[in-house]
Amino acid sequence: MLVSVEGVYRNGRIELTESPNNVPEGACVIVTFVSLNDINLASQGIDREQAKTLRTSLATFSDDWNSPEMSVYDNYDAAKANG
């Protein structure tokens, strides 16, 4: 199961912006620190308004993408090759 949740590092702790669904207490985590400048949408030809529109239009799929059943697609190519 892979679940991504944004957060902020403050005073030696990670503060999550939302509570993850279906994640048991004590679950192992991996934390990756990113700089706000690491994601450059403009270099991909996406301006701020387009990014807002894209985020809004894809939000309807987030529950499906984050559901435990979707983990079957995490290694889709390998599973398909083993057919």
Side-chain angles (χ1 to χ4, degrees):
M1 165 182 66
L2 296 175
V3 175
S4 295
V5 177
E6 271 188 66
V8 177
Y9 179 74
R10 287 194 181 106
N11 300 319
R13 296 181 165 268
I14 305 294
E15 298 174 11
L16 301 178
T17 56
E18 62 184 277
S19 296
N21 295 327
N22 301 320
V23 176
E25 189 70 27
C28 293
V29 300
I30 297 173
V31 177
T32 303
F33 292 91
V34 295
S35 166
L36 293 178
N37 297 326
D38 284 350
I39 302 170
N40 185 343
L41 296 178
S43 71
Q44 303 299 315
I46 300 172
D47 65 24
R48 195 175 283 274
E49 192 59 36
Q50 289 170 317
K52 183 178 177 183
T53 301
L54 184 60
R55 178 181 292 271
T56 301
S57 64
L58 294 176
T60 59
F61 298 103
S62 80
D63 287 342
D64 290 332
W65 285 335
N66 294 322
S67 72
E69 296 84 15
M70 294 301 279
S71 66
V72 70
Y73 296 105
D74 290 346
N75 295 308
Y76 178 77
D77 292 332
K80 187 176 178 183
N82 293 330

